[in-house]
Amino acid sequence: MCPDCSDEIDSMGVGKNLKGFSNRLGTGCKAEEASLGDSGELADLVKTTNMPKLVLNSGKNSKKGWSWYRTPSMEAVEEGKDPSPFEIWRKFVRTTTGHGFARIVDTNEHWQLRVFWAIVVLLLVAGLLISVFIISYESLVVRGLQREFIVQYNNTMYLPDIHICDTSLFSRSALESMGFNKTMGSYLALTLSPMLASRSLRKDMKRRQELEKFYNVLMENRTIHDVYERATLKCENIILGCTHDVTSYNSFQCCQKIFGNRTYVTDLATMCVSTAKQQPLEEIFASQIYGLTVYLKTNTHDRFEFDSTIVTSNVASRRGLLYAVSDPITAVNPIVSAAGHYMAPGKWAGVSISFTRTDNSELQTGILSPYSCVPSGTTSHSHLVPNYDVYSERNCIFASARVVLERKFNCTIFRFRKTHQHVNVTPCCDPDIMIGAYSLNLAQKIKRQSAGCPIDCIVNDYNLYSTPSQLYLGDQDEFFEGHKNGEHVVYSAIHFFYPSFSYTVIKNHPQRLVKWLSDVGSNMSLYLGASFVTLLEFIVLVLRCARFAFQN
């Protein structure tokens, strides 16, 4: 072609450049073998396998008598139009960083194989989208927890609050002085909890009416609070003495210094004494032997025994002690009911304490986090327990149950009497009301009420491991001064200590955005070998197609 067109090319004013260009090629000036010139004047010439050869035009519309044919996409650009969606798609699948797309338009493959790859890629994209949705829901909505375990050590640790409960509750002689026998004393105890009444009493309406009538006669000119103040055991009736480290205290000193005369009546019809403050312990030897030892008076001749026809048998049949430990903000009732340990009279128990702290502080951070926690020492939250003026989740659940009961029966449980002194309009609940409070519907209301209690930001948990054995005390023991060691008096002892001053801190973290990115990226790589660059390529594809649709 070139020998015939050289004169016309020279007449177009590009002869010099084409001659140099042809010399470098060492061949003729075939358009199929042309490349870009050094001067850039041929930079818009594109060589493709499907491009037509150079054609001479001598018509009116010819550009200086000649032109180059372009690919359809280049013609569209030259005319100021965007390429068609099909051309956009072909360019995308050939250049995308995702795997499998290019096989769909590979003309060297049989059409059936291309259909197979199209189905495979479609299924992989669907699987990827489903997995990303599940990961996003679990990470951003459910917000699974990540736990971090840290072991810490201190050479000084504090004992938890220690609660020791006598299952007798009443002094028998004090009850008898007010006219209460074993049956009526047991009926009186039903004011403490709707769970205490025996099954036979719940069904025997006639007996309930007789007991209620006699009870009203006994309570004439008396209040429930007055009866409990006179008849329940005092700290000196429970504590024989105690030792802390190497210092010994008698009954009065131990109640004043260690327990602070903190006494509580519980749902389990027990009288509890609790330590006034957390006593410090220092590790002096490799094996810690010091701690707090409490000597107790159990099963003396003045102890009250419940009537098993009135009080449920699993409470009435117990004889001896319950003990539990807790952090200083948790009330006695929740911890004794949930984690109380029973010990028979006449036993020695070595109680080993292990300490774990759970830190939930980070669970309330983050816009999408469903968690919230209450910092330690908060006093503004509702459902606080009397004598415990700071919030804890256990206290909230316990107090929520009492709120539901008091709203339903319009009366106040004895234990809450002090909280209503400023109102002084709500009467105390009598035993028959508490018997009628036992129902499944009420239990469901209590559950719904307590569901609104947020968790604590810091939770201190104490686990107890006890090794009971028989207790032998000599008649000349220092704690027996003024006490007769006869057959009606049986003593018990409990030794609380830390076997190790190492403890575990558990930090709960919500799943981070980095975790979500990692999970999504790994699934993209698994399904399509794709990355976030591939996502950007898809965005560009969508924008180009949208632009084409808008212009047409």
Side-chain angles (χ1 to χ4, degrees), residues 93-371:
V93 297
R94 286 176 174 173
T95 60
T96 180
T97 56
H99 295 175
F101 292 95
R103 298 179 183 274
I104 301 175
V105 295
D106 189 356
T107 56
N108 295 325
E109 299 287 356
H110 193 275
W111 69 269
Q112 293 178 343
L113 189 57
R114 281 185 285 169
V115 170
F116 167 77
W117 283 113
I119 295 174
V120 170
V121 171
L122 182 62
L123 293 177
L124 291 176
V125 170
L128 175 61
L129 294 177
I130 293 173
S131 65
V132 169
F133 174 79
I134 294 174
I135 292 171
S136 300
Y137 178 80
E138 292 179 349
S139 298
L140 304 178
V141 180
V142 178
R143 300 286 285 177
L145 299 181
Q146 294 177 323
R147 286 192 168 183
E148 178 184 3
F149 292 84
I150 304 171
V151 178
Q152 296 187 358
Y153 172 83
N154 285 337
N155 57 9
T156 300
M157 290 183 66
Y158 286 86
L159 285 170
D161 273 12
I162 296 172
H163 314 291
I164 299 176
C165 308
D166 196 309
T167 59
S168 296
L169 180 60
F170 295 119
S171 168
R172 188 175 63 186
S173 60
L175 275 180
E176 291 175 349
S177 68
M178 291 183 287
F180 287 84
N181 57 18
K182 180 178 180 179
T183 298
M184 294 312 300
S186 300
Y187 188 74
L188 174 67
L190 299 185
T191 60
L192 299 175
S193 172
M195 305 297 293
L196 289 180
S198 65
R199 182 178 301 178
S200 60
L201 183 62
R202 295 183 189 279
K203 297 180 179 180
D204 194 343
M205 185 58 66
K206 182 179 179 180
R207 191 180 186 200
R208 285 174 55 181
Q209 293 174 350
E210 293 175 351
L211 291 171
E212 183 68 10
K213 183 178 180 180
F214 192 23
Y215 172 79
N216 291 331
V217 173
L218 291 173
M219 294 300 296
E220 189 175 359
N221 299 323
R222 293 193 181 111
T223 65
I224 294 177
H225 179 74
D226 294 336
V227 174
Y228 272 87
E229 283 293 317
R230 289 181 56 185
T232 52
L233 298 174
K234 305 300 185 289
C235 182
E236 290 81 1
N237 301 129
I238 300 173
I239 303 296
L240 177 64
C242 59
T243 61
H244 176 244
D245 287 342
V246 293
T247 306
S248 298
Y249 305 93
N250 60 28
S251 177
F252 178 79
Q253 293 171 336
C254 186
C255 286
Q256 290 291 326
K257 182 176 179 61
I258 304 299
F259 290 92
N261 284 319
R262 296 175 66 201
T263 57
Y264 304 93
V265 179
T266 71
D267 282 350
L268 299 178
T270 60
M271 191 68 194
C272 298
V273 293
S274 300
T275 52
K277 62 180 181 179
Q278 295 181 310
Q279 302 296 326
L281 292 179
E282 294 185 3
E283 188 175 34
I284 302 174
F285 307 106
S287 177
Q288 176 68 39
I289 59 173
Y290 293 143
L292 176 65
T293 304
V294 183
Y295 297 89
L296 306 157
K297 305 173 184 178
T298 52
N299 277 23
T300 61
H301 66 283
D302 199 30
R303 287 299 196 273
F304 179 81
E305 295 183 5
F306 291 103
D307 186 342
S308 60
T309 64
I310 304 296
V311 177
T312 181
S313 59
N314 64 344
V315 172
S317 61
R318 291 179 306 179
R319 298 290 185 272
L321 298 167
L322 281 172
Y323 62 89
V325 300
S326 71
D327 57 82
I329 65 174
T330 301
V332 178
N333 269 281
I335 197 67
V336 169
S337 301
H341 294 252
Y342 173 75
M343 189 176 74
K347 297 291 184 180
W348 163 279
V351 180
S352 170
I353 305 172
S354 63
F355 172 49
T356 302
R357 172 170 293 167
T358 303
D359 187 351
N360 298 315
S361 301
E362 296 185 18
L363 297 186
Q364 62 179 345
T365 60
I367 299 176
L368 298 177
S369 177
Y371 301 102

